[in-house]
Amino acid sequence: MMRVSANAEKKFLQQVFKKNGFTEENGALLADTLVDADLRGISSHGIQRLAWYERMIADGTIKPTNQVKVLKESLTSLLIDANGNMGQLASAFAMKNLIKKAKANQVAMAVIRNSNHFGTAGYYSRLAAKAGLIGISTTNTRPLVVPTNAIEAFLGSNAFAFTFPAEPHPFVFDGATSSVSSGKIAVLAKNQRPIPGEWAVDRNRQVIHDSAQAFKILSEAAFTEHQSGGGVLTLGGNQETNSNYKGFGNSLVIELLTGILAQGSISADTSKGKHDFSQFFMVIDPAFFGDVEVLKAKATRMFNRIRKLAHLPGTKIMIPGDREYRNYDQNLKQGVVIDPRTQEEMAEIAKKFQLELPEVL
Amino acid sequence: MMRVSANAEKKFLQQVFKKNGFTEENGALLADTLVDADLRGISSHGIQRLAWYERMIADGTIKPTNQVKVLKESLTSLLIDANGNMGQLASAFAMKNLIKKAKANQVAMAVIRNSNHFGTAGYYSRLAAKAGLIGISTTNTRPLVVPTNAIEAFLGSNAFAFTFPAEPHPFVFDGATSSVSSGKIAVLAKNQRPIPGEWAVDRNRQVIHDSAQAFKILSEAAFTEHQSGGGVLTLGGNQETNSNYKGFGNSLVIELLTGILAQGSISADTSKGKHDFSQFFMVIDPAFFGDVEVLKAKATRMFNRIRKLAHLPGTKIMIPGDREYRNYDQNLKQGVVIDPRTQEEMAEIAKKFQLELPEVL
């Protein structure tokens, strides 16, 4: 485990992206999305993804010099072709446009096709929050999740982020719609630790606690055309009596807004052929409904009341966003954490491109 | 248990609403929303609510002769004052307007304040589906749900419905964002049956299986200003390790879009003072993104593939909406089911207004 400063990480990433053929501007954006995830403690979506992105550039899945194209545009809406480049580029482009459109017409939406992995969903909806607006950001993913009663993966872990202006930081709800993201299981497998809850099942829909076994099932489901069965559970867990069909429904909502509206691959089909992802974004201007400072104060007051509710001894009630903003402040001072395996991968990439590694703090 | 024809139920309801001072048109709409719920097998939101609505009319919470008011309007957006009348009236009014706005400008939204209970969320989003559009419908509710780690109810069960055009029927995801609605617990308590899953907890956050005990906790939390602790769980159940903070986040999204944007009561405060609810609606025209018949066929194909996935023996994979459309067809032929307690309440109401009860089939 090492720490490097966010600035040093960013500089290194920008150089790597430049060597891969991205423009200066695009490389800076990509670096910012990864550093931002590391600062927020979402290391599954930080620099540890770099080697994976490098492999997808090498095999042609990601096309670093392709331009984002607007296919259709109205006062409120955008249909965008990411053109096989990184999902981050089309997504930030879309969100910046939606912010302008929402300010003029109260609400605006975008669908992106032919896209790739876009990092954390929260990055884009936070752009709206910075502008005093409500942001929604979603993506489909590789097939990982078993519908209610099913014993094979079909749905994506389908990220959903929603932000709303508040103090001292915006409300930021950001994560997979499934019980957990596959990244959480990957981290446990890497550290040889058991799965603590109802996260994944085998081909007989028995809950798996062995993270290595679960990781193997997910790798096959997500990255090969063959499945032996099993996968991540929908939110609600393994039992229909615990309403896991509601988690299933939430996942389907994202499938419809992304792969179906974009006429791209649904999550189930991203493991073969084009490997394309789709994204859906929305921005809402709360100022139509009332003074934004008043609405913000009302939201803040509600969150503060919730933080202070009676709760179990030894626990804490946290509002979505609390943890990541605390991490952000800490890691900006202390540097971001990089795990040993990622250190090795960074060293290989530095060697390939003859770059200096970020200084270890 | 008795059955009556949907037509007879509707005629009876229309007469009752007329006697309460609603206009002919408003009474017909109200009757339609209740009959529709009964036809779909959502009897918790059908005619069994009638006595409760009557009580709220009697105590002045519902004001049958008040007019819905548009407070603010743009090409894409509406701020509406339900003016203390039934939530159904402002909601249907909003949705009909949003359908026109979305057809002209691709996406439209409405916030309603000073509202009451609006029936099933799905009723309004299905209006959009009928017009070939995507519909979203949400409401806050009485305080019932305990946030992650909390031991007192604060959040509403906050309904969320989402519809998307498909064959042989639209995708209709419709329900409480919490693990279950309080109605489900009320039905078990009525029938003296245990709670089968992680639905509710006591003041020590221990899962409750005694439905009478849970019902008592919820009645106090929802309808009095005092709480002894306990409530319904967020989707994800009792344990933070099972990601119940995601269900918490989903509930908060609805709180923000309803009570906060409307500047009405948040769910926690609907048990005192004004008892007002707020609603949020959205309509999206998928035709901006592609030919609607093509998009519909893609959605239908995805649902059919999911219905046929390998699954546990003795189980079935159902897409949201499958159950309620099957019920609808059956109950249209066989009549809707009415429980004994509701029969008694209907008899009292019929006597009060000197009306004939619907014929028993």
Side-chain angles (χ1 to χ4, degrees):
Chain A
M1 222 59 116
M2 68 169 184
R3 283 188 186 266
V4 305
S5 79
N7 270 342
E9 181 191 357
K10 194 166 191 174
K11 199 181 142 201
F12 176 73
L13 283 166
Q14 283 183 291
Q15 291 173 323
V16 171
F17 287 123
K18 193 173 178 184
K19 291 284 187 185
N20 275 299
F22 292 96
T23 64
E24 200 88 36
E25 194 191 345
N26 287 346
L29 173 69
L30 293 171
D32 191 57
T33 62
L34 299 183
V35 173
D36 183 81
D38 280 326
L39 280 168
R40 289 174 197 278
I42 316 167
S43 42
S44 59
H45 287 62
I47 198 166
Q48 80 96 7
R49 293 266 174 176
L50 185 62
W52 180 58
Y53 287 137
E54 287 284 316
R55 286 196 295 277
M56 289 195 285
I57 292 166
D59 75 14
T61 305
I62 293 169
K63 299 172 186 74
T65 58
N66 280 14
Q67 302 270 329
V68 172
K69 291 186 288 189
V70 174
L71 301 178
K72 200 172 172 189
E73 182 164 13
S74 78
L75 286 179
T76 63
S77 305
L78 278 170
L79 177 61
I80 291 171
D81 187 338
N83 207 0
N85 207 330
M86 298 272 277
Q88 285 90 335
L89 304 176
S91 299
F93 172 85
M95 210 59 185
K96 282 168 196 165
N97 269 273
L98 294 187
I99 287 169
K100 284 182 211 156
K101 286 183 190 294
K103 280 189 174 166
N105 292 291
Q106 298 81 53
V107 54
M109 62 181 175
V111 168
I112 300 178
R113 61 169 66 144
N114 291 323
S115 193
N116 281 296
H117 189 257
F118 77 167
T120 62
Y123 187 85
Y124 312 101
S125 47
R126 269 188 277 103
L127 295 178
K130 251 177 247 168
L133 306 168
I134 298 167
I136 294 173
S137 166
T138 72
T139 188
N140 62 1
T141 73
R142 299 261 175 170
L144 289 160
V145 177
V146 289
T148 298
N149 294 326
I151 52 176
E152 52 181 319
F154 188 92
L155 305 161
S157 54
N158 294 355
F160 169 71
F162 180 99
T163 58
F164 195 98
E167 293 296 344
H169 61 72
F171 172 83
V172 179
F173 179 52
D174 177 17
T177 49
S178 51
S179 61
V180 293
S181 68
S182 62
K184 268 194 144 175
I185 292 171
V187 168
L188 292 182
K190 211 168 178 174
N191 297 300
Q192 294 173 293
R193 287 172 54 200
I195 296 176
E198 283 188 24
W199 294 7
V201 288
D202 65 15
R203 62 197 295 177
N204 299 311
R205 234 186 134 94
Q206 295 297 305
V207 173
I208 299 173
H209 290 290
D210 176 349
S211 57
Q213 185 196 353
F215 184 68
K216 204 179 148 206
I217 288 171
L218 300 183
S219 301
E220 189 194 51
F223 293 103
T224 74
E225 296 195 24
H226 180 258
Q227 282 191 43
S228 311
V232 174
L233 286 163
T234 59
L235 183 59
N238 194 22
Q239 303 303 323
E240 203 170 356
T241 49
N242 287 340
S243 308
N244 64 4
Y245 51 84
K246 294 189 179 187
F248 174 28
N250 286 333
S251 294
L252 282 174
V253 168
I254 310 293
E255 295 284 343
L256 291 164
L257 291 175
T258 57
I260 297 293
L261 278 190
Q263 300 186 56
S265 296
I266 58 173
S267 296
D269 298 332
T270 58
S271 58
K272 35 190 175 275
K274 279 176 73 187
H275 304 292
D276 59 315
F277 294 147
S278 305
Q279 279 103 22
F280 176 90
F281 298 95
M282 179 170 276
V283 177
I284 292 172
D285 188 357
F288 178 80
F289 301 107
D291 182 280
V292 175
E293 288 310 311
V294 172
L295 298 175
K296 208 194 235 183
K298 281 183 181 286
T300 301
R301 193 156 61 240
M302 174 173 75
F303 297 143
N304 284 334
R305 282 173 65 185
I306 294 173
R307 288 185 185 102
K308 285 174 202 148
L309 286 177
H311 54 278
L312 280 187
T315 68
K316 203 173 169 182
I317 303 179
M318 296 183 89
I319 299 297
D322 283 357
R323 195 186 304 268
E324 60 175 48
Y325 279 89
R326 188 194 58 195
N327 289 339
Y328 190 95
D329 292 342
Q330 283 178 357
N331 292 335
L332 205 57
K333 286 179 205 147
Q334 301 172 2
V336 303
V337 173
I338 296 176
D339 69 74
R341 177 79 195 105
T342 302
Q343 274 176 257
E344 289 170 21
E345 291 169 346
M346 286 167 67
E348 285 167 37
I349 292 165
K351 197 177 160 194
K352 182 172 73 172
F353 292 130
Q354 295 181 293
L355 297 173
E356 261 185 66
L357 280 166
E359 191 191 351
V360 177
L361 295 181
Chain B
M1 222 59 115
M2 68 170 185
R3 282 186 186 267
V4 305
S5 79
N7 270 342
E9 181 191 358
K10 195 167 190 172
K11 200 180 141 203
F12 176 73
L13 283 167
Q14 283 182 291
Q15 291 172 322
V16 172
F17 286 122
K18 194 174 176 180
K19 291 283 188 186
N20 276 298
F22 292 97
T23 64
E24 200 88 35
E25 193 190 347
N26 286 346
L29 173 68
L30 293 172
D32 192 56
T33 62
L34 298 183
V35 174
D36 183 81
D38 280 327
L39 281 169
R40 289 173 197 278
I42 314 167
S43 43
S44 60
H45 286 62
I47 197 166
Q48 82 96 5
R49 295 266 175 177
L50 185 61
W52 180 60
Y53 288 136
E54 288 284 318
R55 284 195 297 277
M56 288 194 286
I57 291 166
D59 75 15
T61 305
I62 293 170
K63 301 172 185 72
T65 57
N66 280 14
Q67 302 271 328
V68 172
K69 291 187 289 190
V70 174
L71 301 178
K72 200 172 172 189
E73 181 163 16
S74 78
L75 286 178
T76 61
S77 304
L78 278 170
L79 177 61
I80 291 172
D81 186 339
N83 206 0
N85 207 329
M86 298 272 278
Q88 286 89 336
L89 304 176
S91 299
F93 172 85
M95 211 60 185
K96 282 169 196 165
N97 268 274
L98 293 188
I99 287 169
K100 284 183 209 153
K101 286 182 189 296
K103 280 189 174 165
N105 292 292
Q106 296 81 54
V107 55
M109 62 181 175
V111 168
I112 299 178
R113 61 169 64 146
N114 291 324
S115 192
N116 281 297
H117 190 257
F118 78 165
T120 62
Y123 187 85
Y124 313 100
S125 49
R126 269 189 276 103
L127 295 178
K130 252 177 243 166
L133 305 169
I134 298 167
I136 294 172
S137 166
T138 73
T139 188
N140 62 1
T141 73
R142 298 261 174 171
L144 291 159
V145 177
V146 290
T148 298
N149 294 328
I151 53 176
E152 52 180 320
F154 187 92
L155 305 161
S157 54
N158 294 355
F160 170 72
F162 180 100
T163 57
F164 195 99
E167 294 295 343
H169 61 72
F171 172 82
V172 179
F173 179 50
D174 177 17
T177 49
S178 50
S179 61
V180 293
S181 67
S182 61
K184 269 194 144 175
I185 291 171
V187 169
L188 292 182
K190 211 169 179 174
N191 297 299
Q192 294 172 296
R193 287 171 55 200
I195 297 177
E198 282 187 25
W199 294 8
V201 288
D202 65 15
R203 62 198 295 177
N204 299 311
R205 235 188 132 93
Q206 295 297 304
V207 173
I208 300 173
H209 290 289
D210 176 350
S211 57
Q213 185 195 354
F215 183 68
K216 204 179 147 208
I217 288 171
L218 301 182
S219 301
E220 190 194 48
F223 293 103
T224 74
E225 296 194 27
H226 180 260
Q227 281 191 43
S228 312
V232 174
L233 287 163
T234 58
L235 183 59
N238 194 22
Q239 303 303 323
E240 202 169 357
T241 49
N242 287 340
S243 308
N244 64 3
Y245 50 86
K246 293 188 181 190
F248 174 27
N250 286 333
S251 293
L252 282 174
V253 168
I254 310 293
E255 295 284 342
L256 292 163
L257 291 175
T258 57
I260 298 293
L261 279 190
Q263 300 185 57
S265 296
I266 58 173
S267 295
D269 299 332
T270 58
S271 58
K272 36 188 174 275
K274 280 177 71 185
H275 303 293
D276 59 314
F277 294 147
S278 306
Q279 279 102 21
F280 176 90
F281 298 95
M282 180 171 274
V283 177
I284 292 173
D285 188 357
F288 178 81
F289 301 108
D291 182 280
V292 176
E293 289 310 311
V294 171
L295 298 175
K296 206 194 236 184
K298 280 181 182 286
T300 302
R301 192 155 65 241
M302 175 173 75
F303 296 143
N304 285 334
R305 282 173 64 185
I306 294 174
R307 289 184 183 102
K308 286 176 202 146
L309 286 178
H311 54 279
L312 280 187
T315 68
K316 202 172 170 183
I317 302 178
M318 296 184 90
I319 298 298
D322 284 358
R323 194 185 307 266
E324 60 174 49
Y325 278 90
R326 188 194 58 196
N327 290 339
Y328 190 95
D329 292 343
Q330 282 178 0
N331 292 336
L332 206 57
K333 286 179 205 143
Q334 301 171 2
V336 303
V337 173
I338 296 177
D339 69 73
R341 177 78 194 107
T342 302
Q343 275 175 255
E344 290 168 22
E345 293 169 345
M346 287 167 65
E348 285 167 38
I349 292 165
K351 198 176 158 196
K352 179 171 74 172
F353 292 128
Q354 295 181 293
L355 297 173
E356 261 184 65
L357 280 165
E359 189 191 354
V360 176
L361 297 180

